[in-house]
Amino acid sequence: FVPSAVFTVFAFLTPYITVVSMYVLLDYISSTSADDGGSGESRYSDAMVKSAVAGFFVGPLLSAICNVVTNHLQRRVAIKSRAALVQLLYRKAVRIDLTAQESKVGE
């Protein structure tokens, strides 16, 4: 249950990688553009700009992976919960003395 919650939070935060990448890339383009009177200098290094471009691919990939893992873990929790409930009902049905009643199970 806890790993599912951790992956859910991580899946919620991963789309912001794309947002930050877009901000860095647009700021880099606007600061290096000589057409608007920009200085031609950027406050971002080349490695930072390359990381921002990679963020466009890594962000959605991490988000998809986290969603798949979260769905898998949630399904496991649901199956275990259902199995526990079925087990409780079965044990209850076994404990009931059917000869002491006039009705049968299911009526």
Side-chain angles (χ1 to χ4, degrees):
F1 187 74
V2 174
S4 177
V6 170
F7 275 102
T8 301
V9 169
F10 194 64
F12 177 73
L13 296 176
T14 52
Y16 291 106
I17 295 172
T18 308
V19 173
V20 171
S21 297
M22 179 69 77
Y23 175 78
V24 168
L25 203 57
L26 289 176
D27 193 34
Y28 174 77
I29 291 171
S30 67
S31 67
T32 57
S33 159
D35 296 340
D36 332 357
S39 64
E41 290 289 322
S42 174
R43 63 181 177 171
Y44 299 109
S45 66
D46 287 340
M48 183 71 171
V49 174
K50 289 178 184 176
S51 298
V53 171
F56 282 111
F57 300 102
V58 173
L61 178 67
L62 286 176
S63 181
I65 289 170
C66 287
N67 283 331
V68 167
V69 171
T70 299
N71 288 339
H72 174 72
L73 292 174
Q74 287 175 348
R75 250 187 246 122
R76 284 181 57 193
V77 168
I79 289 170
K80 286 182 180 182
S81 300
R82 183 176 183 267
L85 289 173
V86 168
Q87 181 183 16
L88 287 173
L89 289 173
Y90 179 74
R91 284 186 180 177
K92 176 75 172 181
V94 168
R95 270 194 306 227
I96 295 175
D97 185 15
L98 294 178
T99 58
Q101 298 178 353
E102 293 179 12
S103 64
K104 297 187 190 242
V105 175
E107 290 184 351

